[in-house]
Amino acid sequence: MCYLNENQLSWCRAHEAETMDLLKTLGKIPAPSHFEDQRAAFILSWLKKLGAEKAYIDDAKNVVLPMGVTDNNPVNVIMAHTDIVFADTEELPMREEDGKLYAPGIGDDTANLAALLMAAKYWLEKKETPQEGLLIVANACEEGLGNLKGSKQILKDYAGRVQEFISLDGGVAHITNDAVGSCRMKITITAQGGHSYSKFGNTNAIVQMAELIGKLYEKEPPAKAKTTYNAGVIEGGSTVNSICGQCSLLYEYRSCDRECLQEMDAFFQETIDSFRKKGFDIRVEVLGVRPCKGDVDEEKLEALTKRHRDMLFAFTGDEPRVSASSTDANSALDLGIPAVTFGAIRGGGAHTRGEWIEMDSMPQAVQIALAEVSHYFV
């Protein structure tokens, strides 16, 4: 199947230099989760210059381009996220070497974002209207403790209207059509503390936290679906000769099955309650919850998955992997909306400061993004 006509392919080829300029500009703009303001402002200005008068920034710092959207018609969503995992607030470092472009967040998700914006540019120039309402979104807060704030805002603002939900994220070899849900929390234990010699015997928050972690790790994960848990960060204490008075832990559990998450939650609550009964001073702060897949029409979801599997195979000649993951699509799948996540680029080193993309994958990435957007115009 041919996904683009010759005019569209010619347009993509003619705009390859502009695509790289856009990618390099975006890739240098810092965008920590919750602080994507600079990227959002740049993208909105870029769209406005193309004549996108209705484009706007919403309360979650998403840049939203409505196309053919009325007050109440059905809409489809295509998004790529603006945020990256790093907290930089100054210009991000970038370098080219051996055909690769290196920068924090360049593949996750800046390159996919640039490809989607170029696809939007094509249809803005055409001045045509999609068959149903279409939202092209440069969304905020996909990473980490962004907790999918951006995608959740879109689904809230257009509640009951979203028919399909597509997220461009990651590499071209992978499709996600199932949601790995998670619960992330900060656990803080406060103890007596004191001088390590004169107050020896006082309760030590580090020792108490170690006991709690040991108990949490006794849990046998549910067998129904892959379920994991992790003690990720532990902080506490001040000096070698001080009994620790306060210690904190970042802890999470994940699963693609709601019942498994409920079992993990019940075990966690029971464990915390039992330690409180032993006299431990424990405070729990929920940092973020990502939902699992809800009651989705499996036939529609499979059809959506097949459509994208076929498209990526047509462009790459390789069969993409299909699996569960944690992406913006979680928000839609939770609500029963057919949704998939796929990437359009090739690269590596995601979530490291040495992240890179193959620069020669960008022309194809724009073609894939344009094919995705064009689906809703024909």
Side-chain angles (χ1 to χ4, degrees):
M1 179 178 179
C2 183
Y3 286 87
L4 297 176
N5 61 42
E6 188 54 44
N7 288 335
Q8 291 172 321
L9 290 170
S10 296
W11 187 94
C12 290
R13 288 191 288 266
H15 289 80
E16 288 181 5
E18 181 182 352
T19 298
M20 289 307 301
D21 287 343
L22 175 62
L23 173 60
K24 291 177 182 179
T25 300
L26 283 171
K28 293 179 181 179
I29 302 174
S33 300
H34 300 287
F35 299 95
E36 303 91 344
D37 307 73
Q38 291 184 56
R39 280 199 185 185
F42 171 83
I43 292 168
L44 183 63
S45 175
W46 188 85
L47 289 170
K48 293 285 190 182
K49 290 175 182 176
L50 294 173
E53 296 178 359
K54 294 183 178 180
Y56 64 95
I57 297 175
D58 67 14
D59 292 342
K61 302 182 182 177
N62 298 317
V63 186
V64 186
L65 172 61
M67 305 184 81
V69 177
T70 66
D71 289 339
N72 55 15
N73 67 332
V75 298
N76 298 291
V77 178
I78 309 174
M79 61 170 49
H81 66 85
T82 56
D83 60 324
I84 68 171
V85 296
F86 298 103
D88 301 54
T89 56
E90 302 297 327
E91 182 176 294
L92 294 167
M94 180 178 290
R95 65 184 173 90
E96 297 179 38
E97 185 178 323
D98 298 329
K100 297 177 179 178
L101 184 65
Y102 291 83
I106 197 66
D108 183 13
D109 192 30
T110 311
N112 288 304
L113 174 62
L116 179 59
L117 290 173
M118 291 303 295
K121 175 184 172 76
Y122 173 87
W123 283 106
L124 285 168
E125 290 179 352
K126 295 282 286 184
K127 301 185 187 305
E128 295 185 16
T129 302
Q131 293 178 323
E132 296 180 325
L134 178 64
L135 299 173
I136 295 179
V137 184
N139 69 285
C141 284
E142 189 277 339
E143 297 289 2
L145 295 179
N147 294 320
L148 311 184
K149 180 180 179 181
S151 57
K152 290 176 180 177
Q153 184 71 47
I154 293 295
L155 293 164
K156 175 184 175 183
D157 290 346
Y158 294 87
R161 299 173 60 186
V162 178
Q163 308 300 297
E164 292 181 350
F165 183 102
I166 310 299
S167 172
L168 268 67
D169 194 356
V172 74
H174 186 214
I175 295 173
T176 293
N177 68 351
D178 196 1
V180 176
S182 62
C183 183
R184 293 164 174 167
M185 59 204 74
K186 181 178 182 179
I187 306 164
T188 302
I189 292 180
T190 302
Q192 292 170 314
H195 192 280
S196 63
Y197 187 80
S198 62
K199 296 297 181 180
F200 182 73
N202 279 7
T203 55
N204 185 318
I206 289 177
V207 175
Q208 291 184 336
M209 185 65 79
E211 184 179 346
L212 175 62
I213 292 172
K215 182 63 178 179
L216 291 172
Y217 267 69
E218 290 179 7
K219 172 63 177 173
E220 186 71 26
K224 181 181 177 183
K226 182 176 181 180
T227 304
T228 65
Y229 52 82
N230 185 53
V233 178
I234 186 167
E235 297 176 320
S238 54
T239 67
V240 70
N241 58 340
S242 297
I243 299 167
C244 178
Q246 191 169 88
C247 182
S248 66
L249 167 71
L250 297 186
Y251 176 75
E252 70 158 18
Y253 43 85
R254 299 184 179 217
S255 180
C256 58
D257 182 84
R258 288 185 173 185
E259 291 183 1
C260 293
L261 283 178
Q262 290 168 357
E263 180 178 330
M264 291 301 301
D265 183 66
F267 171 76
F268 176 78
Q269 296 299 337
E270 290 168 3
T271 301
I272 294 297
D273 288 345
S274 69
F275 274 70
R276 283 175 174 154
K277 289 176 181 178
K278 291 196 294 186
F280 285 35
D281 182 349
I282 302 178
R283 185 174 75 254
V284 177
E285 176 188 2
V286 176
L287 301 178
V289 175
R290 294 188 176 214
C292 289
K293 183 173 71 174
D295 186 16
V296 181
D297 185 317
E298 292 297 335
E299 287 189 8
K300 289 183 178 179
L301 181 57
E302 179 54 35
L304 189 65
T305 302
K306 183 179 185 304
R307 189 179 99 206
H308 288 85
R309 186 191 297 119
D310 292 346
M311 181 181 72
L312 292 180
F313 181 81
F315 276 102
T316 68
D318 295 319
E319 188 75 23
R321 293 178 291 109
V322 180
S323 65
S325 190
S326 180
T327 72
D328 278 312
N330 283 41
S331 303
L333 291 167
D334 173 50
L335 299 176
I337 299 168
V340 298
T341 298
F342 72 95
I345 52 92
R346 298 189 307 272
H351 289 205
T352 73
R353 297 197 68 87
E355 186 172 350
W356 54 272
I357 65 158
E358 295 179 12
M359 294 172 65
D360 65 6
S361 72
M362 280 307 296
Q364 185 180 79
V366 174
Q367 293 177 23
I368 292 171
L370 181 55
E372 179 63 41
V373 175
S374 298
H375 172 82
Y376 297 99
F377 280 84
V378 296

